[in-house]
Amino acid sequence: MRRVLTTLALSLAWTGMAQATPTLPMRLGDTAQPLAYKLDLKVDPAQPRHSGTVEISLELQGVAKRLRLHAKDLRISAVEYRAEGGKGVHAGRAATADADSVFLDFAKPLPAGRGTLKLRFTGAISEQDTLGLFRQREGGDWYAITQFEDLGARMAFPAFDEPGWKVPWTLSLTVPARQMAVANEPVLQERAAGKGWKRVDFKTTPPLPSYLLAFAVGPFAVKDGGTAGNTTLRYLTPRGRADEANYAAAVTPAVVQKLESWFGMPHPFSKLDSLVIPLTENFGAMENPGLITYSSKIMLGKPGQETLSLQRSYTSTAAHEIAHQWFGNLVTMHWWDDLWLNESFASWMGDKITAQLRPDWRWELNAQHARQEAMAGDRLPSARRVHQPVHTNEDLGTAFDEITYSKGQSVLAMFESWLGEARMQAGVRRYVERHARGSATGAQFVRSISDGDEDLQAAFASFIDQPGIPVVRFELQCQAGVPPRLRLSQSRYRPLGAGTMPESRWIVPVVLRSPAGLSRHLLKAQSETLTLPDAACPSWLQPNAGGSGYYRSQIDPALIRPEQYQLAELLALLDDQRALAQAGELKLGSLMPLVRTLAADPRRELREAALETLGGLEPMVGLEQRDAYAALLRSHFGALARELGWLVGAADDEDRRLLRETLLPFMADSGRDPVLREQALLYARAWLAAASRDGQPHEALMDPGLRGAILRSAALAGDANLFDAMLGLARSTHDRLLRGQLLAALGAFTEPALAARARKLLLDAKLDSRETVGAILGRQINDPQLAGSALDFVAQHDAALRKRMTQVAQANLPEVLGGGCSQARAERLRQQFAPAAARLDAGPALLAKAVQRIELCAAYREAQSGALADVLNSAR
């Protein structure tokens, strides 16, 4: 799963509570150890509250008069404890401990040993958040679904809500008689429970932490998926939409089989349901054992309209989440400081399985996107370590980011390249076999991988226990009569504007290639020298063979030969060269020959990388330079964009279709191509006119994969009539994907009055702020002529906006509004959002990241202003 947790310290409503005290430790301690749960809940998705009882089998380590449990926004009406073998019941009383926990006080001391704690409680089913037990309305029906990672279980019932407590759960749900209830395990029995109700008892789970318990209630449609090995598969969608899971049903069995083969053991749980959540926020899917949940946009596609984007998104996401069934679920992290291990492994493994399933997709190149994303975050002065201690909610609130996911994935890929696939696989299998059905730490994983190699353990620790990126400099030394040598030296990467950053030292596994073949070297010191296998001084070097090294390579440009490099190596090279320019080590102009070479290459990934590099210059371009920048884009990609055109041809392969989806909207917008804009406007109007006649969008008039791009591009030249047509359809459609595309198009209108109308939609009670904020503000903030108005609007309506937004969205708002490339913009963002950020878990850290990105861009812009002018003038 991927998301960022933020919560406000909301007031609690405990019976007999005192004012919350925010000084208690995050962890409960070991006074009581949970052994098993019996959880009985009454849930009606159409109602805003639920009720229930929980019986927790405990082991008390000593005599105790007070216990502390996690619970948030619950009303506890009864507390009882019965000691094993004891006589009578100890009655207790609940009182608030802090915003996340409750004290249970007893008149007489509870004896050491085993016993059963029973609590009766009620709680809210949130309609706004997608954390805890929440509800959503889809197609007129209400659905109640859980999302307990990371601190959501305590919002549904009192518990020992920590990942290291891994115990069996016996769940019963009392639900409306005509609705379906599903959970981690299959149904054991159903029976009537009064007029209009039924009770559903589920089989007891194997040991699970609280964050992996999951259930859902609603009128779900069920698509039978058959079996994969011994595992029964089902797909649960909103009523009437089972056929939209056709692609998921076709792909999932192969994902399961590939993972069973890789791990060398069967899927470790009794079933595998895949369930749709209509709308998620800050996460796309969750790996609950036996009940994986997916955002509707990832899993659902109308028959015959499963776009290339949906196919890739579902396959890779399913591979990630199903990999968790072994790594994260069968073996669980002991504490949140090892969240990186769960998520980085699933990202690494998910990409590996996707590449195996669809070699034509070249999905192994996704590792380059992960490396690039990781380094973009790891370069910041505020970057944290991968293995980050978690002592507070604030610490945990920053853990679901590119460092946990992408840096961890990139480090795993680097060490797999160093060890080889077979040794890496053997190490993972050792880890899973040793800790199956239990919990483990990152240190135990590294020991399993290294298999006694202390240098490897130290190398791994150097990348996960400190922040930052090493820069490795390669200096070729050639003398007559002496084998060629290569001097390697390392330092911490520092972008312009980063200020003072602590120096660091890594143990870097370097794999390089020269004309004589591969050389491997474990760089331990600040500087070392190795002898190359070449008989003569090599004419070229590849300093990061395979492109999987998590380091920036700095090398004499004369030794760079793109024609000798593999596809992944070219992507890593371009990203490294771009980063060196941002550090002031290269002039911007020196990047352009490589960009031109890759832009002209027929391989889609290289063209997209060149386009992304040019796109990265856009925030640095002043208003007076916009025409020159557009000309630069057209000089590289204009002819290709017009040759592709908006219409998909019968002979177009997938790469050509994907390139069209990326290139054309960018050229219509930033490239200011009038032909592409007018064509998009023509197609959009015809499509909207057909939709307005019968209330149904006509897919035959517009390729589903291009629909969002065409609508956004049409908006650039659109008028009030087009705005009204898009808004009308956005309000009336029940298709969340289409509504999201229409809202993004409304955010793309550039005429000031229409842009102002788009901003007002953020306050529209008939639209969900989770769908409008990013779509509209995220676009306007990157338009230099609209950005100021967007920030003004947010400041003016701050209270009203925050009332409509979840706590997660509030904390992330500075990142949504973090566009721009000037110190003035950075300072405005800091001042405007600092007071609110201080009240949010992870708020200050997320604000700091957004501000620092702007500051680094501003420093880069100032240092390269002359070089940028030269690059822009060269396109005239």
Side-chain angles (χ1 to χ4, degrees):
M1 188 202 71
R2 180 170 191 162
R3 68 186 185 86
V4 179
L5 170 73
T6 51
T7 54
L8 277 176
L10 302 176
S11 62
L12 299 179
W14 299 95
T15 302
M17 71 178 181
Q19 182 65 34
T21 311
T23 56
L24 294 172
M26 187 180 186
R27 305 184 75 165
L28 297 178
D30 60 359
T31 299
Q33 300 282 342
L35 303 175
Y37 288 81
K38 289 184 179 179
L39 180 61
D40 192 338
L41 298 174
K42 187 173 185 179
V43 177
D44 181 354
Q47 299 301 318
R49 295 191 67 79
H50 70 287
S51 60
T53 60
V54 61
E55 295 182 27
I56 311 175
S57 298
L58 297 178
E59 176 89 36
L60 296 183
Q61 303 305 305
V63 174
K65 288 190 66 176
R66 164 175 280 187
L67 301 178
R68 179 171 165 239
L69 267 70
H70 290 117
K72 186 177 181 66
D73 294 342
L74 300 174
R75 297 178 185 271
I76 297 179
S77 57
V79 179
E80 297 178 354
Y81 184 83
R82 185 184 296 273
E84 188 175 278
K87 296 181 180 180
V89 173
H90 295 260
R93 177 176 175 273
T96 299
D98 62 9
D100 283 284
S101 64
V102 59
F103 287 130
L104 305 178
D105 291 312
F106 298 87
K108 295 181 179 181
L110 307 180
R114 295 192 173 190
T116 300
L117 176 67
K118 184 176 181 179
L119 307 174
R120 188 179 305 278
F121 59 90
T122 62
I125 306 177
S126 175
E127 193 175 337
Q128 186 177 45
D129 290 308
T130 51
L131 181 66
L133 174 58
F134 61 91
R135 66 189 189 128
Q136 294 184 354
R137 195 168 191 175
E138 188 79 351
D141 297 314
W142 283 102
Y143 299 84
I145 306 170
T146 60
Q147 170 59 37
F148 288 160
E149 188 180 32
D150 41 22
L151 305 181
R154 65 192 63 180
M155 301 167 70
F157 51 86
F160 293 81
D161 192 16
E162 296 180 14
W165 281 316
K166 194 172 182 181
V167 299
W169 296 75
T170 303
L171 173 67
S172 297
L173 297 175
T174 300
V175 303
R178 294 186 178 181
Q179 298 206 359
M180 182 180 184
V182 293
N184 303 92
E185 287 292 314
V187 173
L188 180 65
Q189 63 177 349
E190 287 190 13
R191 59 186 186 273
K195 186 176 181 180
W197 295 88
K198 66 180 178 182
R199 179 184 172 92
V200 184
D201 298 323
F202 297 92
K203 293 181 179 179
T204 300
T205 72
L208 296 178
S210 52
Y211 85 88
L212 288 177
L213 185 72
F215 57 86
V217 180
F220 295 105
V222 180
K223 184 176 184 64
D224 183 358
T227 60
N230 296 322
T231 303
T232 301
L233 305 177
R234 296 189 305 177
Y235 307 88
L236 310 175
T237 75
R239 188 201 301 265
R241 300 180 68 182
D243 285 347
E244 294 182 41
N246 286 346
Y247 183 80
V251 170
T252 305
V255 174
V256 174
Q257 290 161 4
K258 286 285 187 183
L259 283 162
E260 287 183 334
S261 175
W262 197 92
F263 281 103
M265 65 174 67
H267 175 255
F269 297 94
S270 60
K271 69 177 178 71
L272 184 59
D273 289 341
S274 299
L275 182 141
V276 169
I277 300 177
L279 177 65
T280 63
E281 185 172 46
N282 255 29
F283 73 98
M286 177 62 202
E287 67 268 17
N288 309 303
L291 186 64
I292 298 176
T293 55
Y294 295 90
S295 166
S296 60
K297 294 181 181 179
I298 290 176
M299 186 168 148
L300 297 184
K302 294 179 181 178
Q305 297 177 23
E306 297 94 344
T307 64
L308 299 180
S309 175
L310 181 140
Q311 294 175 29
R312 284 161 164 75
S313 177
Y314 177 78
T315 303
S316 59
T317 303
H320 176 113
E321 303 304 336
I322 298 173
H324 272 306
Q325 305 308 303
W326 288 265
F327 207 105
N329 295 358
L330 180 62
V331 182
T332 306
M333 61 187 168
H334 186 71
W335 179 242
W336 294 112
D337 56 353
D338 280 320
L339 175 69
W340 71 273
L341 186 56
N342 273 17
E343 299 300 346
S344 62
F345 180 90
S347 296
W348 171 74
M349 179 55 65
D351 282 353
K352 181 184 292 291
I353 295 301
T354 303
Q356 290 179 8
L357 284 171
R358 292 299 303 264
D360 55 314
W361 288 355
R362 298 186 295 278
W363 202 260
E364 65 279 1
L365 296 175
N366 199 56
Q368 291 303 316
H369 296 294
R371 179 180 184 268
Q372 181 178 335
E373 181 183 47
M375 290 183 170
D378 211 11
R379 70 193 173 113
L380 300 177
S382 63
R384 61 174 183 82
R385 49 196 275 195
V386 176
H387 178 230
Q388 177 73 13
V390 174
H391 300 299
T392 66
N393 286 6
E394 174 80 10
D395 296 332
L396 187 54
T398 62
F400 292 84
D401 65 358
E402 69 278 358
I403 299 300
T404 290
Y405 286 78
S406 297
K407 182 175 181 180
Q409 174 185 355
S410 298
V411 171
L412 287 174
M414 175 172 66
F415 281 97
E416 181 187 35
S417 177
W418 180 260
L419 287 170
E421 292 186 11
R423 286 182 64 192
M424 187 73 170
Q425 183 182 41
V428 172
R429 288 183 175 184
R430 274 194 300 272
Y431 172 77
V432 172
E433 290 166 2
R434 288 172 181 172
H435 305 288
R437 301 297 177 194
S439 300
T441 67
Q444 289 171 314
F445 171 76
V446 174
R447 285 197 293 271
S448 295
I449 293 296
S450 60
D451 196 24
D453 186 335
E454 294 185 0
D455 282 346
L456 189 64
Q457 290 185 48
F460 213 105
S462 74
F463 280 90
I464 66 170
D465 285 333
Q466 64 181 345
I469 309 161
V471 177
V472 180
R473 291 169 176 81
F474 299 82
E475 300 175 56
L476 184 61
Q477 300 172 344
C478 295
Q479 296 177 348
V482 178
R485 293 159 61 85
L486 192 66
R487 183 175 182 270
L488 286 67
S489 59
Q490 62 165 300
S491 61
R492 182 172 180 173
Y493 173 75
R494 290 178 174 81
L496 294 164
T500 302
M501 299 172 72
E503 189 53 82
S504 302
R505 182 75 54 80
W506 291 264
I507 300 177
V508 187
V510 175
V511 182
L512 59 94
R513 191 173 68 255
S514 63
L518 290 177
S519 298
R520 294 155 52 87
H521 185 74
L522 200 60
L523 177 60
K524 299 179 181 179
Q526 193 277 328
S527 178
E528 297 174 5
T529 302
L530 67 96
T531 300
L532 294 173
D534 301 73
C537 193
S539 59
W540 60 270
L541 287 174
Q542 166 47 260
N544 186 357
S548 61
Y550 193 80
Y551 53 86
R552 297 294 191 192
S553 302
Q554 188 168 4
I555 190 172
D556 183 347
L559 294 172
I560 296 175
R561 294 286 190 276
E563 67 276 9
Q564 299 290 343
Y565 291 3
Q566 301 167 8
L567 185 51
E569 294 167 351
L570 286 169
L571 294 173
L573 169 67
L574 179 59
D575 192 46
D576 284 355
Q577 294 287 293
R578 187 166 52 205
L580 292 173
Q582 292 168 349
E585 299 288 345
L586 294 176
K587 283 294 185 183
L588 184 58
S590 65
L591 282 177
M592 291 304 107
L594 181 59
V595 170
R596 282 193 293 272
T597 296
L598 301 189
D601 195 287
R603 289 170 288 186
R604 172 180 58 85
E605 293 87 355
L606 296 182
R607 284 174 162 169
E608 289 177 344
L611 182 67
E612 183 180 8
T613 301
L614 294 178
L617 302 179
E618 188 166 12
M620 301 163 59
V621 174
L623 286 174
E624 73 285 357
Q625 297 174 309
R626 304 299 290 181
D627 288 339
Y629 176 67
L632 176 69
L633 297 178
R634 293 195 297 270
S635 71
H636 285 76
F637 290 105
L640 176 61
R642 292 195 181 187
E643 186 264 323
L644 286 170
W646 288 111
L647 298 180
V648 177
D652 286 351
D653 61 15
E654 290 195 1
D655 275 343
R656 186 175 172 88
R657 293 174 64 185
L658 288 168
L659 182 61
R660 179 185 285 112
E661 293 174 15
T662 300
L663 178 60
L664 266 64
F666 186 77
M667 293 303 296
D669 187 355
S670 300
R672 299 188 177 188
D673 190 306
V675 173
L676 293 177
R677 290 187 180 192
E678 288 301 321
Q679 289 176 343
L681 186 58
L682 177 67
Y683 298 144
R685 282 177 170 158
W687 183 82
L688 286 163
S692 67
R693 285 195 297 270
D694 57 15
Q696 296 294 328
H698 287 248
E699 303 303 342
L701 297 177
M702 191 183 296
D703 181 84
L706 279 171
R707 187 175 65 193
I710 291 176
L711 293 174
R712 292 194 311 274
S713 299
L716 298 169
D719 57 15
N721 289 333
L722 184 69
F723 188 99
D724 291 338
M726 289 183 177
L727 179 57
L729 185 55
R731 290 188 186 281
S732 64
T733 185
H734 296 295
D735 185 330
R736 288 186 181 272
L737 177 61
L738 173 58
R739 182 162 60 248
Q741 292 170 338
L742 288 163
L743 290 171
L746 291 168
F749 279 84
T750 57
E751 199 279 319
L754 296 178
R757 285 186 61 190
R759 289 192 292 274
K760 290 180 180 178
L761 297 176
L762 302 175
L763 302 175
D764 191 324
K766 296 181 179 180
L767 294 172
D768 195 316
S769 68
R770 291 172 292 187
E771 295 181 304
T772 57
V773 171
I776 294 171
L777 291 181
R779 171 61 176 80
Q780 292 195 4
I781 201 65
N782 289 307
D783 186 326
Q785 294 180 300
L786 297 176
S789 297
L791 286 169
D792 289 343
F793 180 88
V794 172
Q796 181 181 355
H797 300 283
D798 183 78
L801 283 171
R802 291 185 183 277
K803 186 176 180 180
R804 290 173 48 78
M805 296 169 66
T806 66
Q807 309 309 312
V808 169
Q810 290 184 47
N812 280 306
L813 191 56
E815 294 211 87
V816 174
L817 295 169
C821 196
S822 69
Q823 293 293 344
R825 175 71 69 82
E827 186 56 30
R828 172 164 186 181
L829 199 71
R830 181 185 290 110
Q831 292 184 2
Q832 184 166 334
F833 289 98
R839 299 191 296 270
L840 296 162
D841 287 344
L846 293 172
L847 174 60
K849 287 175 66 174
V851 169
Q852 287 171 15
R853 287 192 180 101
I854 299 173
E855 290 174 335
L856 295 186
C857 182
Y860 183 39
R861 177 184 184 180
E862 181 179 359
Q864 299 276 9
S865 59
L868 176 62
D870 292 341
V871 168
L872 295 176
N873 290 332
S874 69
R876 290 183 180 274

